[in-house]
Amino acid sequence: MYLPEHFAESDEQTLLAHIDRHPFATLVSVADGTPFASALPLLLDRNEHALYGHFAGANPHATSLFEAGECVAIFHGPHAYISPRWYVNPNVPTWNYTLVQARGRAERLDKAALRRLLERLTARFEDPVDPWSLAELPERQVAAMLRAIVGFRLPIATLQGKYKLGQNRTPEDVRGAAQALAERGDHDTAALMLAALDAE
């Protein structure tokens, strides 16, 4: 991706935390000259430095992924339109945002690993007070579901982060835009902008 130096985020722990907070990703790959893109949740395994996910078996991306070379998973974070009216100094509209790209080559999961993935996914996202689990389904239904999906592991070869948060603007402009966003209820983007300003 286009990554001007002043927007680059290279701290690995920051990038992994971003993936943990924003696990619904766009996975992109190319096979035989055809691009494929799918939106799906990806589970980060920090110990393995890898991502896990699954497709519906009917999705053509489910087979083309393993024929592709390197693929990229894109994790979007908070983002917002920035009006020039929020700046002290005259300028033009822009869009502030955070995103992380993870690249690697996908590996197909066997049925046992796929089942463990589904158990981990539900454990990660279910309500901790009263969580649903696969154990609540009849075994034949679970077996049928496993036959209908394709799981994969994506070892992370490279990570890139782009945090475009007004680092190329004056502190007064950043504070003005962050205040306007907060007043409109976008506290996440506003807080990231102010944190980037404090880090300079």
Side-chain angles (χ1 to χ4, degrees):
M1 64 178 159
Y2 174 57
L3 190 59
E5 185 177 350
H6 47 278
F7 297 144
E9 177 55 67
S10 58
D11 179 73
E12 183 172 282
Q13 294 311 309
T14 298
L15 301 181
L16 294 175
H18 178 109
I19 290 172
D20 253 344
R21 282 194 305 273
H22 309 287
F24 194 66
T26 303
L27 184 66
V28 180
S29 64
V30 178
D32 295 327
T34 301
F36 294 85
S38 296
L40 69 172
L42 294 177
L43 187 67
L44 172 66
D45 187 313
R46 286 175 181 258
N47 293 330
E48 297 182 15
H49 202 61
L51 301 167
Y52 283 84
H54 69 280
F55 297 98
N59 183 342
H61 202 174
T63 52
S64 71
L65 181 67
F66 306 108
E67 300 164 5
E70 190 176 61
C71 59
V72 58
I74 306 166
F75 298 85
H76 288 275
H79 58 91
Y81 172 80
I82 305 296
S83 170
R85 296 198 181 278
W86 303 341
Y87 290 144
V88 174
N89 304 292
N91 218 298
V92 295
T94 191
W95 205 279
N96 282 359
Y97 58 90
T98 62
L99 67 82
V100 171
Q101 291 187 358
R103 294 176 180 268
R105 291 176 180 264
E107 306 164 349
R108 187 187 295 267
L109 297 181
D110 62 25
K111 291 300 182 190
L114 179 55
R115 182 177 188 131
R116 288 194 300 273
L117 169 60
L118 297 183
E119 291 168 345
R120 291 171 64 192
L121 276 168
T122 53
R124 165 73 167 79
F125 297 112
E126 273 289 323
D127 182 340
V129 176
D130 184 26
W132 178 90
S133 76
L134 280 179
E136 297 183 36
L137 294 177
E139 188 56 35
R140 66 179 181 278
Q141 188 174 349
V142 174
M145 178 180 62
L146 290 171
R147 288 193 297 272
I149 61 178
V150 175
F152 63 90
R153 176 179 182 268
L154 181 66
I156 300 171
T158 60
L159 276 174
Q160 281 188 310
K162 186 172 184 179
Y163 278 36
K164 181 182 176 296
L165 298 166
Q167 297 95 323
N168 57 334
R169 306 295 183 209
T170 66
E172 294 78 17
D173 285 345
V174 174
R175 291 190 188 97
Q179 179 179 342
L181 287 174
E183 288 171 355
R184 287 158 177 76
D186 188 345
H187 299 286
D188 291 342
T189 308
L192 286 168
M193 290 172 63
L194 294 175
L197 180 62
D198 291 342
E200 291 180 354

